[in-house]
C-alpha cells in the first residue's frame, strides 16, 4: 500500500508514504532479419529481431554472435564475437573485414555457414546508406575468396557475393 513504519532509537514514528518515481522511456525500434543455423539440420533460418534505432550494419552483425535466448538451443551461430572486425557499407556493397585468427579456428563447414550467415543477414538489411546488394570479404585488409554454393566452388578473391549465391 506504499506505507511503511519507521522506528528511530526504539520509538515508533508516524507511518510515511513511500513514493517510487517511474520513468517511461520510449525507444524507437526497427525489425531486422538475422540468419542463424538450425541445431540439428544445420540449415540456415532467418528470424526477426527488434533493435533500438538507429541500426547500423555492425549492430546487425553483432546480433549474429548470439541467438536470442528464446531461440536457443534450437538456433545457433557460427559467427563468434571476434570473427568480424568491422563492416563498411557504400554504394550497395558491404565490405566485411574478418579476423584471421577467428576464421582459422573454424572448420571448413563452419566457415561456409558463417560466411552464409553474414551474407544473407547483410543482404536482408537496409542500412542508412541504402540497401546492401553484395558483400565482399577481407582478412587482414586483403581480399579473400569464399565458398559460393551457387557455383559449388570458391569465388575469386575480393569478388562480391549476393543473397542469390547462398539462397
Amino acid at each position: 500500500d506504499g506505507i511503511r513504519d519507521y522506528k528511530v532509537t526504539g520509538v515508533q514514528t508516524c507511518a510515511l508514504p513511500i513514493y517510487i518515481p517511474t520513468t517511461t522511456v520510449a525507444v524507437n525500434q526497427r525489425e531486422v532479419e538475422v540468419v542463424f543455423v538450425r541445431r540439428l539440420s544445420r540449415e540456415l533460418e532467418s528470424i526477426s529481431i527488434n533493435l533500438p534505432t538507429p541500426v547500423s550494419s555492425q549492430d546487425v552483425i553483432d546480433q549474429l554472435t548470439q541467438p536470442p535466448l528464446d531461440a536457443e538451443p534450437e538456433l545457433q551461430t557460427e559467427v563468434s564475437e571476434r570473427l568480424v572486425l568491422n563492416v563498411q557499407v557504400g554504394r550497395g556493397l558491404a565490405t566485411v573485414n574478418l579476423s584471421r585468427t577467428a576464421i582459422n579456428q573454424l572448420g571448413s563447414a563452419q566457415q561456409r555457414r558463417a560466411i552464409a550467415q553474414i551474407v544473407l543477414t547483410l543482404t536482408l538489411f537496409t542500412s542508412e546508406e541504402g540497401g546492401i546488394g553484395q558483400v565482399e570479404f577481407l582478412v587482414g585488409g586483403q581480399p579473400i575468396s569464399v565458398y559460393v554454393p551457387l557455383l559449388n566452388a570458391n569465388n575469386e578473391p575480393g569478388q562480391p557475393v549476393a543473397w542469390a549465391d547462398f539462397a
Side-chain angles (χ1 to χ4, degrees):
D1 63 1
I3 305 290
R4 185 171 293 162
D5 289 332
Y6 288 92
K7 292 186 180 188
V8 179
T9 62
V11 177
Q12 184 159 344
T13 62
C14 65
L16 299 174
I18 299 174
Y19 297 101
I20 302 171
T22 58
T23 305
T24 303
V25 179
V27 176
N28 290 330
Q29 293 193 327
R30 177 174 168 199
E31 186 175 89
V32 296
E33 295 291 316
V34 182
V35 178
F36 292 104
V37 180
R38 282 207 155 282
R39 183 172 59 87
L40 297 177
S41 68
R42 309 312 290 162
E43 293 175 355
L44 299 174
E45 180 177 319
S46 72
I47 63 169
S48 297
I49 297 176
N50 289 315
L51 298 177
T53 58
V55 179
S56 71
S57 51
Q58 187 64 53
D59 294 333
V60 175
I61 290 294
D62 291 345
Q63 291 302 307
L64 275 175
T65 65
Q66 182 64 49
L69 293 176
D70 61 349
E72 291 183 306
E74 187 57 36
L75 296 180
Q76 300 175 330
T77 186
E78 300 292 358
V79 181
S80 71
E81 290 180 13
R82 299 176 326 277
L83 180 61
V84 178
L85 298 176
N86 59 55
V87 179
Q88 307 246 329
V89 178
R91 300 180 59 107
L93 176 68
T95 302
V96 179
N97 194 18
L98 303 175
S99 159
R100 183 177 312 278
T101 304
I103 195 78
N104 288 339
Q105 290 175 345
L106 296 174
S108 177
Q110 291 173 307
Q111 283 183 14
R112 290 177 180 187
R113 284 191 295 270
I115 294 296
Q117 279 186 264
I118 293 167
V119 170
L120 294 172
T121 297
L122 285 176
T123 54
L124 287 170
F125 175 66
T126 301
S127 73
E128 290 179 0
E129 295 85 10
I132 297 172
Q134 295 185 313
V135 181
E136 67 178 350
F137 290 91
L138 310 174
V139 170
Q142 298 300 310
I144 63 165
S145 66
V146 296
Y147 179 79
V148 179
L150 184 66
L151 302 174
N152 199 25
N154 280 19
N155 66 351
E156 293 297 318
Q159 181 182 9
V161 291
W163 185 88
D165 294 326
F166 291 85

